[in-house]
């Protein structure tokens, strides 16, 4: 297979997201200063709610990452690769459409999922998706990681724990704000 395994590293855009989440946490902690009629307790509960939601994201991402660690792999071939452009009249968003065929125990399957959670991602930045689509041109041999209990659930990349780690840092920042707020 031509795709090489990648190490899970924190890339610059991951760091930017983490810094941005911390900035949001700091601003959320000071929300009662900006809205005088909001009691400080309400602001603290909003921070606690945001932390709880982020913690749920952390747990979901971590469980998905750990669940996939033992999944088998199969050889596959990219059969379709393009960027879909969607224009609703107010904004333009882009989404990668990459399809890969693979076989498990003699049965053929097709997956469109690049990595867990990818199915619902889109962006107004075509350049981001261009890099993804360029990584998977039609005819490229790839390694597909699939769920042995349900081979239709398959991904071209396992993903990395970076999203879970980012959510954990954000949760810790929100928890610190909650505990340290007056």
């Amino acid at each position: 297979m031509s795709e090489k395994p990648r190490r899970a590293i924190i890339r610059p855009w991951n760091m930017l997201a983490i810094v941005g989440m911390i900035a949001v946490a700091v601003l959320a902690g000071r929300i009662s200063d900006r809205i005088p009629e909001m009691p400080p307790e309400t602001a603290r509960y909003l921070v606690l709610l945001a932390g709880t939601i982020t913690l749920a994201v952390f747990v979901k991402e971590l469980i998905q990452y750990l669940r996939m660690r033992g999944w088998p792999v199969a050889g596959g071939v990219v059969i379709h690769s393009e960027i879909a452009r969607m224009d609703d009249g107010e904004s333009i968003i882009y989404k990668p459409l990459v399809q890969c065929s693979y076989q498990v125990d003699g049965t053929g399957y097709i997956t469109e999922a690049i990595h867990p959670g990818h199915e619902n991602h889109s962006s107004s930045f075509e350049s981001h998706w261009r890099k993804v689509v360029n990584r998977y041109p039609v005819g490229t041999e790839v390694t597909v990681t699939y769920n042995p209990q349900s081979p239709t659930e398959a991904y071209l990349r396992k993903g990395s724990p970076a999203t879970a780690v980012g959510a954990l840092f954000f949760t810790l920042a929100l928890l610190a704000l909650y505990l340290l707020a007056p």
Side-chain angles (χ1 to χ4, degrees):
M1 298 298 131
S2 63
E3 186 178 344
K4 295 183 175 119
R6 297 169 192 240
R7 291 183 332 143
I9 59 172
I10 297 182
R11 294 181 174 84
W13 57 270
N14 294 109
M15 289 302 296
L16 182 62
I18 291 169
V19 169
M21 289 187 284
I22 291 171
V24 168
V26 169
L27 292 174
R30 297 172 188 242
I31 197 167
S32 63
D33 295 341
R34 303 280 184 236
I35 306 172
E37 58 275 358
M38 180 183 290
E41 298 82 30
T42 304
R44 285 186 63 175
Y45 288 121
L46 287 174
V47 170
L48 183 62
L49 176 64
T52 303
I53 292 169
T54 308
L55 182 61
V57 169
F58 163 72
V59 170
K60 175 190 164 287
E61 293 290 331
L62 186 60
I63 288 171
Q64 178 68 19
Y65 175 74
L66 293 174
R67 186 173 76 105
M68 289 182 65
R69 285 180 44 184
W71 286 8
V73 296
V77 177
V78 176
I79 58 173
H80 183 85
S81 183
E82 71 171 321
I83 297 176
R85 180 180 190 266
M86 296 168 270
D87 184 351
D88 66 3
E90 293 182 22
S91 63
I92 298 172
I93 59 171
Y94 302 92
K95 180 176 180 153
L97 298 175
V98 177
Q99 291 181 326
C100 175
S101 65
Y102 62 101
Q103 286 193 1
V104 175
D105 297 328
T107 303
Y109 298 95
I110 294 177
T111 184
E112 295 181 358
I114 294 173
H115 58 80
H118 162 264
E119 302 85 1
N120 300 319
H121 288 179
S122 60
S123 170
S124 58
F125 299 106
E126 181 183 12
S127 61
H128 172 72
W129 297 125
R130 177 73 47 212
K131 292 176 188 175
V132 172
V133 168
N134 287 345
R135 189 179 303 141
Y136 300 107
V138 172
T140 302
E141 292 183 0
V142 292
T143 301
V144 178
T145 303
Y146 66 91
N147 182 343
Q149 306 302 318
S150 176
T152 57
E153 181 183 3
Y155 304 97
L156 296 177
R157 293 183 5 215
K158 285 185 180 182
S160 76
T163 304
V165 170
L168 177 62
F169 281 126
F170 187 57
T171 301
L172 293 174
L174 289 172
L175 179 62
L177 281 173
Y178 179 77
L179 295 174
L180 298 174

